[in-house]
Amino acid sequence: MSSTHTIPVEAVVFDAKIYPRAVHSAATVDQYADALEAGDVFPPIILEPDTNRLFDGFHRWQAHKKLGRTDIEAVYREIPSGIPPKLFSASLSVKHGDRIKGEELRRIAREIVTAEESFNINTAAKYLGVSRQTAANWTRDIYDYRRDVRAVSACIMSTAG
């Protein structure tokens, strides 16, 4: 992992379009703030180089803000080539802390596959920390619909000559 940097809390850029959760947890922010006040040390938040766009650590960042802290530890990570920013952000949140799970993972998989028709479901499964079969089950209707549209289009084109 990259080296840790201390940055101003206000320098963090929140982009709701890539935030993987439907809503954040105020209870988690409160819990983290209490732990910080008690002296706990949390992992650094993860930001995009050059933009300071937040990929991972929303609840930790909010806990720092709640306590009036002016600085936060951060590391910078590039989005892997070909990976949508929201999927990358989600992949970081399935590994620790207040983990993304269940319906939120399903929603993200469906959003990614809907937005990017050629996106590989195996890649989505890997980044979301679920089996290929689970991801395929979540998105099967989207792929079935696309297959049916292609079949109807081919039939219409064939009939039209």
Side-chain angles (χ1 to χ4, degrees):
M1 180 96 85
S2 329
S3 63
T4 303
H5 304 271
T6 301
I7 66 160
V9 168
E10 301 83 35
V12 176
V13 175
F14 177 71
D15 182 352
K17 294 182 304 253
I18 70 163
Y19 185 60
R21 300 177 189 280
V23 295
H24 75 275
S25 169
T28 299
V29 172
D30 291 343
Q31 178 186 6
Y32 287 4
D34 286 345
L36 284 168
E37 279 191 313
D40 284 2
V41 176
F42 284 83
I45 61 174
I46 300 175
L47 304 175
E48 182 175 41
D50 301 322
T51 67
N52 282 351
R53 184 165 62 158
L54 182 66
F55 289 141
D56 183 54
F58 178 86
H59 294 104
R60 287 170 274 157
W61 174 55
Q62 290 299 304
H64 276 72
K65 286 174 67 172
K66 180 178 180 171
L67 295 175
R69 299 211 173 159
T70 57
D71 295 319
I72 191 167
E73 296 296 309
V75 295
Y76 293 95
R77 300 259 316 267
E78 296 283 347
I79 300 170
S81 178
I83 302 302
K86 187 174 219 165
L87 182 59
F88 178 63
S89 183
S91 75
L92 299 169
S93 293
V94 299
K95 297 176 182 170
H96 61 82
D98 188 7
R99 297 175 186 207
I100 296 176
K101 50 193 168 282
E103 185 56 33
E104 285 187 313
L105 291 175
R106 179 183 180 278
R107 180 185 48 77
I108 294 164
R110 293 179 62 79
E111 182 179 325
I112 298 299
V113 167
T114 299
E116 300 193 28
E117 189 168 326
S118 64
F119 197 77
N120 186 315
I121 195 63
N122 294 335
T123 302
K126 174 184 160 195
Y127 275 82
L128 293 174
V130 298
S131 71
R132 187 234 176 270
Q133 186 61 47
T134 295
N137 288 340
W138 288 340
T139 58
R140 179 168 286 117
D141 64 314
I142 297 168
Y143 286 106
D144 289 348
Y145 175 77
R146 287 180 181 152
R147 183 196 62 230
D148 293 347
V149 166
R150 283 191 300 273
V152 168
S153 295
C155 183
I156 290 170
M157 288 172 51
S158 174
T159 303

